[in-house]
Amino acid sequence: MDCVCFILPRPHFVVIQWADEDESNWHKKKFDEEPAWSHSPPHVISQLAQCFTNAMVGPRAWIGGIFNRSGNKRPGSNKYLNYPLTPLQEQSLRRLQERLGVPFDETRLDHQEALQDLWNAAYPNVKLRSLISEQWKDMGWQGANPSTDFRGCGFISLENLLYFATRYPNCFHRLLFKQSGSRANWEYPFAVAGINVTFMLIQMLDLFSEKPKCLPGLNFVKLIGEDDEAFDVLYCIAFAMMDAQWLAMRASYMDFNDVLQATRTQLERELSLDDIQRIEELPAFNLI
């Protein structure tokens, strides 16, 4: 009896024993037909910096590796640290930081309604049987209860996805259903990739500081001073940019780390431009 070992994207191994050729073909067919993330155990969740749960794609080292390499400072950024924020910019930043501090609470009615709204926006013609359902895996959650994954970034990660689905539905569905480009056999799971994008933006913009210490973060504060929805719009831009990078790099599941890093680098460049006065003026805005 042959023994074949598949190395999964997470540091787990599944050993499949094939008794005969027919059973071998069945296993191969199942692996080809099912979403890649359905083979990853949904319970791989651990605390990250006490505020975030690692509900992200891949092992914990991926997240640490991405942000440790990037850091918050950039060469020549020190001259921007003394940039004074206007009262309006300070207020906008505080409101955004308050949103970041709201955890997802599956017992709250408004959080349950937001989750239902996300499903309805994603699959308007499909009835969700329950807020805890295997149907959620079709969207790219790790298990039947997406609230487990939302703990990775709090309620704002659900708000970001819902904003994307309702404000830019065509782009949202194009990414959800992987409608453009030549795709890998092992695609990124849409929903948990979305949480990664939220987390990446929070780190990139240094949003937990009293005032961002990097040029992209400071320039972003200027944008939210003009538009309270700037963070949500930037999320949509970043998600679309990540998907474009994925296609350009001909990426597969194990490349997600590099794709997200490339996305962050490009966003930092665009947010460092001197002539950006509105979020819609970012070069990548046309992706959505």
Side-chain angles (χ1 to χ4, degrees):
M1 181 180 297
D2 295 331
C3 178
V4 177
C5 183
F6 286 94
I7 302 177
L8 298 182
R10 291 189 176 86
H12 296 273
F13 296 87
V14 172
V15 177
I16 302 176
Q17 291 184 326
W18 291 338
D20 52 43
E21 185 175 353
D22 290 338
E23 188 176 356
S24 169
N25 292 334
W26 181 86
H27 278 292
K28 183 178 186 301
K29 186 173 184 294
K30 289 291 288 181
F31 230 79
D32 289 342
E33 292 177 348
E34 294 180 10
W37 57 86
S38 68
H39 304 286
S40 300
H43 64 277
V44 185
I45 304 166
S46 59
Q47 291 298 321
L48 178 62
Q50 297 183 349
C51 297
F52 294 95
T53 301
N54 181 21
M56 313 303 178
V57 177
R60 193 182 321 173
W62 279 29
I63 299 301
I66 291 171
F67 300 122
N68 288 339
R69 284 200 304 272
S70 298
N72 284 325
K73 290 189 176 182
R74 287 292 176 271
S77 65
N78 289 339
K79 64 181 180 179
Y80 300 102
L81 297 183
N82 294 324
Y83 173 83
L85 302 182
T86 68
L88 181 59
Q89 291 168 351
E90 288 185 351
Q91 292 173 9
S92 298
L93 178 59
R94 298 297 168 257
R95 283 195 296 269
L96 178 54
Q97 290 173 333
E98 288 175 2
R99 290 178 63 192
L100 300 181
V102 178
F104 181 84
D105 185 350
E106 59 186 316
T107 67
R108 284 182 53 168
L109 181 60
D110 57 335
H111 289 202
Q112 295 173 10
E113 290 174 346
L115 194 56
Q116 180 70 61
D117 289 343
L118 176 62
W119 177 269
N120 293 340
Y123 305 102
N125 300 318
V126 180
K127 180 177 176 57
L128 180 66
R129 292 186 290 271
S130 170
L131 287 181
I132 299 178
S133 170
E134 294 294 317
Q135 291 173 280
W136 286 109
K137 292 182 180 179
D138 294 337
M139 197 185 294
W141 299 105
Q142 293 188 98
N145 187 359
S147 66
T148 307
D149 291 344
F150 280 125
R151 293 171 192 158
C153 249
F155 185 56
I156 194 170
S157 55
L158 172 54
E159 290 182 309
N160 287 159
L161 280 167
L162 184 55
Y163 183 92
F164 192 11
T166 54
R167 181 67 177 273
Y168 303 102
N170 291 337
C171 184
F172 177 88
H173 285 98
R174 174 169 54 83
L175 270 57
L176 171 62
F177 298 122
K178 309 293 194 299
Q179 292 175 339
S180 62
S182 179
R183 297 284 174 174
N185 291 330
W186 282 57
E187 276 290 297
Y188 64 85
F190 177 84
V192 289
I195 297 180
N196 271 274
V197 172
T198 298
F199 188 90
M200 179 266 290
L201 289 177
I202 293 170
Q203 294 291 314
M204 182 188 79
L205 300 173
D206 194 20
L207 292 180
F208 278 120
S209 295
E210 182 176 355
K211 184 178 76 172
K213 302 178 182 64
C214 57
L215 179 57
L218 285 172
N219 281 346
F220 174 74
V221 172
K222 299 177 188 178
L223 300 180
I224 60 172
E226 300 296 326
D227 182 0
D228 274 342
E229 295 184 0
F231 183 78
D232 300 275
V233 177
L234 183 63
Y235 171 86
C236 302
I237 295 172
F239 207 146
M241 182 184 289
M242 184 276 294
D243 188 78
Q245 290 279 8
W246 178 273
L247 293 173
M249 296 170 65
R250 300 179 182 272
S252 187
Y253 196 100
M254 292 296 289
D255 302 313
F256 187 83
N257 186 357
D258 295 330
V259 172
L260 199 61
Q261 175 61 48
T263 302
R264 172 171 176 159
T265 299
Q266 182 59 32
L267 277 174
E268 287 174 326
R269 291 194 186 106
E270 296 198 7
L271 284 168
S272 296
L273 297 174
D274 294 331
D275 56 347
I276 302 298
Q277 304 297 322
R278 298 167 56 249
I279 191 71
E280 292 82 3
E281 294 175 358
L282 288 175
F285 179 78
N286 62 2
L287 291 174
I288 57 175

